[in-house]
Amino acid sequence: MIAFVKGRIDDISEENVVIDTGGIGYNVKISTGTAASLPGIGEEVKLYTYTCVREDMFSLYGFLTRDDLEIFKKLITVNGIGPKGGLAILSAMSADDLRFAIISGDAAVISKAPGIGKKTAERVILDLKDKISLEDTLIHKEMNQLNVGGGLTDHHARNEAVEALTALGYSATDALHAVKEVQIEDDMDVETILKLALKNMF
């Protein structure tokens, strides 16, 4: 209904921001991560929004990126996860970390969000696993950009290192972050990348 709200920040808290769009103040619900990333009061901001309309309520939920908005929309399709639960999850982790948790079946990470129990976290994974792909993640896109000069061999070596770390018991999220931090050189093999990535885990 309302695709985005753009205006000056009039007031801000951990859960809400009021945006003045020229005489009209929109109260927009936000995650703690979004709140921490917003500019200060008086500054201009653009939030991509989801409109929730009920018999007794009309609410806007705002996100700094379309990526966050899209994963939020997927979350609230899960039975038992309303807009409040969706915000709670995105307050506890980034959109990419959530995708990696879903892909790797890591219910423990998702259940760390306030009000989200283990069964609900498992339901999130079950319902969204087929709707989430590694190619959708920002980290995956960044890794592809880093691989532009290295070619397919470099890309393959990174992927093998990630798979090796997950086989050792690390979560897909931690493995991808660790491998991403490794500065790949032309003569590096998978074993070398893996050793350097393991150093990044500590």
Side-chain angles (χ1 to χ4, degrees):
M1 185 178 294
I2 298 176
F4 65 84
V5 175
K6 183 178 182 181
R8 182 179 57 81
I9 296 177
D10 185 74
D11 188 34
I12 185 172
S13 69
E14 287 188 357
E15 299 179 348
N16 294 277
V17 61
V18 177
I19 300 179
D20 183 344
T21 61
I24 298 177
Y26 287 91
N27 187 47
V28 185
K29 297 181 183 299
I30 54 175
S31 69
T32 54
T34 297
S37 300
L38 288 175
I41 291 176
E43 299 293 323
E44 188 171 277
V45 70
K46 179 179 180 179
L47 292 179
Y48 298 95
T49 55
Y50 172 81
T51 307
C52 179
V53 180
R54 296 178 179 172
E55 291 182 3
D56 58 344
M57 183 178 66
F58 180 97
S59 300
L60 286 175
Y61 294 82
F63 306 89
L64 285 168
T65 67
R66 286 192 178 93
D67 183 58
D68 285 351
L69 174 60
E70 290 308 311
I71 195 68
F72 174 79
K73 287 180 178 178
K74 285 184 171 70
L75 274 173
I76 61 177
T77 65
V78 178
N79 186 32
I81 302 287
K84 185 177 180 180
L87 270 192
I89 292 173
L90 290 176
S91 290
M93 66 189 74
S94 69
D96 262 359
D97 286 345
L98 174 59
R99 287 192 181 94
F100 293 135
I102 291 170
I103 291 169
S104 60
D106 195 345
V109 171
I110 300 174
S111 63
K112 289 180 181 178
I116 305 298
K118 184 180 178 182
K119 288 185 177 179
T120 302
E122 289 172 346
R123 191 179 304 123
V124 169
I125 293 169
L126 181 65
D127 288 2
L128 298 185
K129 199 160 191 175
D130 292 337
K131 300 177 183 178
I132 298 293
S133 68
L134 186 60
E135 286 71 23
D136 291 334
T137 65
L138 294 177
I139 290 176
H140 183 274
K141 292 171 186 174
E142 289 172 5
M143 286 178 68
N144 281 341
Q145 290 171 1
L146 290 172
N147 290 334
V148 170
L152 291 175
T153 302
D154 182 38
H155 180 69
H156 183 67
R158 285 178 182 273
N159 285 344
E160 282 197 6
V162 170
E163 290 173 2
L165 285 172
T166 55
L168 289 172
Y170 294 102
S171 71
T173 303
D174 290 340
L176 283 159
H177 278 294
V179 172
K180 182 193 168 191
E181 294 299 317
V182 176
Q183 297 296 320
I184 305 295
E185 297 178 6
D186 292 339
D187 59 346
M188 279 189 183
D189 56 15
V190 176
E191 184 178 353
T192 302
I193 296 172
L194 181 59
K195 287 179 180 178
L196 291 172
L198 280 168
K199 289 182 180 179
N200 292 330
M201 306 295 281
F202 302 101

